[in-house]
Amino acid sequence: MYRLLIVEDDMGIAEAIEKQATAWGLTVKCIKDFQSVMQEFAEFNPHLILMDIGLPFFDGYYWCSEIRKVSKVPIIFISSASDNMNIIMAMNMGADDFISKPFDQSVLMAKVQAMLRRTYNFSSAVPVIEHNGALLNTGSNMLVYNDKNIELTKNEYKILLVLMENKSKVVSRERLMEVLWETDSFIDENTLTVNVGRLRKKLEAAGLNDFIKTKFGVGYIVG
């Protein structure tokens, strides 16, 4: 799991980024003591840093230059001070990218993932399957909808994974029971029905009504 360090003194912004990044399977740490940035950086050993410019005690340029003395870890500046001079200074200090506030969370996460892919040469920062606004994170086994995390049991996750991997097709009950059999000592038709029913209730509680449709006599399909 990739580690993201957030150096941002606006706790509302920092916590919003932390929530979104966590939902996408990243391990996140927000700096609280802005006099000990280097110490926390060394202890956390992040794969990527999001850095604000205007910080207490020392600005983001200073911390960027300090980090560059010891590490080549990617640094993305996030700042409302987005004039050309600040962008140029950030890059000259060793930043890898710059995103202006206010920003869209999905755009920020796209930049984070792109930077991780380029730096660490992995095919996908967070393997995600999307359908009708619902995001199934296969790294954390978590479903995200409208920025809310929906916790799934092991069986619920396996059912939803197969359905979303085949979102244009009807998945037979037999196929779903085969998938569940891999992890449970015994799965029968009634057990499958109970698991699907519980999963539907969780989805409906999150606003995903009729997400799983029944094809009577055949199986299920996500709609």
Side-chain angles (χ1 to χ4, degrees):
M1 189 174 287
Y2 290 83
R3 295 179 299 278
L4 174 66
L5 182 66
I6 301 173
V7 190
E8 164 65 68
D9 64 325
D10 185 320
M11 287 299 107
I13 293 175
E15 289 170 3
I17 297 172
E18 180 181 20
K19 179 180 178 181
Q20 185 78 354
T22 300
W24 285 79
L26 300 176
T27 299
V28 184
K29 180 179 180 63
C30 297
I31 293 289
K32 299 293 197 304
D33 182 356
F34 291 92
Q35 289 181 295
S36 304
V37 172
M38 288 303 295
Q39 179 181 340
E40 295 197 41
F41 162 77
E43 291 173 355
F44 188 56
N45 190 26
H47 293 94
L48 189 145
I49 299 172
L50 295 178
M51 178 82 69
D52 190 16
I53 292 178
L55 298 169
F57 307 108
F58 300 97
D59 62 23
Y61 300 135
Y62 171 82
W63 292 119
C64 184
S65 64
E66 289 298 295
I67 290 168
R68 280 291 168 261
K69 293 176 183 178
V70 297
S71 174
K72 294 181 180 179
V73 62
I75 298 173
I76 299 176
F77 270 85
I78 50 172
S79 178
S80 55
S82 57
D83 57 272
N84 288 342
M85 184 58 68
N86 279 298
I87 295 173
I88 291 170
M89 187 173 294
M91 296 304 180
N92 286 340
M93 288 290 181
D96 297 274
D97 204 347
F98 193 108
I99 185 167
S100 302
K101 297 178 186 175
F103 46 76
D104 184 278
Q105 290 278 7
S106 60
V107 172
L108 178 63
M109 286 299 105
K111 281 183 172 285
V112 166
Q113 291 184 66
M115 185 66 69
L116 288 170
R117 281 196 298 273
R118 289 198 299 269
T119 307
Y120 301 103
N121 191 30
F122 63 104
S123 58
S124 176
V126 181
V128 170
I129 303 173
E130 187 277 338
H131 185 66
N132 289 349
L135 302 167
L136 184 63
N137 186 318
T138 62
S140 64
N141 295 6
M142 184 80 70
L143 186 70
V144 181
Y145 182 68
N146 283 344
D147 292 330
K148 293 182 180 178
N149 295 339
I150 305 167
E151 293 188 8
L152 306 172
T153 66
K154 178 177 60 180
N155 283 348
E156 290 165 354
Y157 167 75
K158 284 186 169 291
I159 291 168
L160 195 56
L161 176 63
V162 174
L163 291 175
M164 291 183 70
E165 284 178 336
N166 298 274
K167 53 190 173 185
S168 62
K169 305 172 185 176
V170 177
V171 180
S172 69
R173 290 177 61 87
E174 290 76 15
R175 172 59 184 145
L176 290 173
M177 284 189 286
E178 287 174 6
V179 170
L180 297 183
W181 185 274
E182 295 173 0
T183 56
D184 285 71
S185 58
F186 180 73
I187 290 291
D188 59 13
E189 293 241 359
N190 184 60
T191 304
L192 176 61
T193 300
V194 170
N195 276 276
V196 171
R198 288 174 178 167
L199 176 56
R200 277 178 165 152
K201 286 182 180 179
K202 284 187 179 180
L203 297 175
E204 289 169 1
L208 286 165
N209 299 312
D210 296 322
F211 192 77
I212 298 175
K213 299 182 184 297
T214 300
K215 296 295 181 180
F216 291 101
V218 185
Y220 303 96
I221 186 172
V222 292

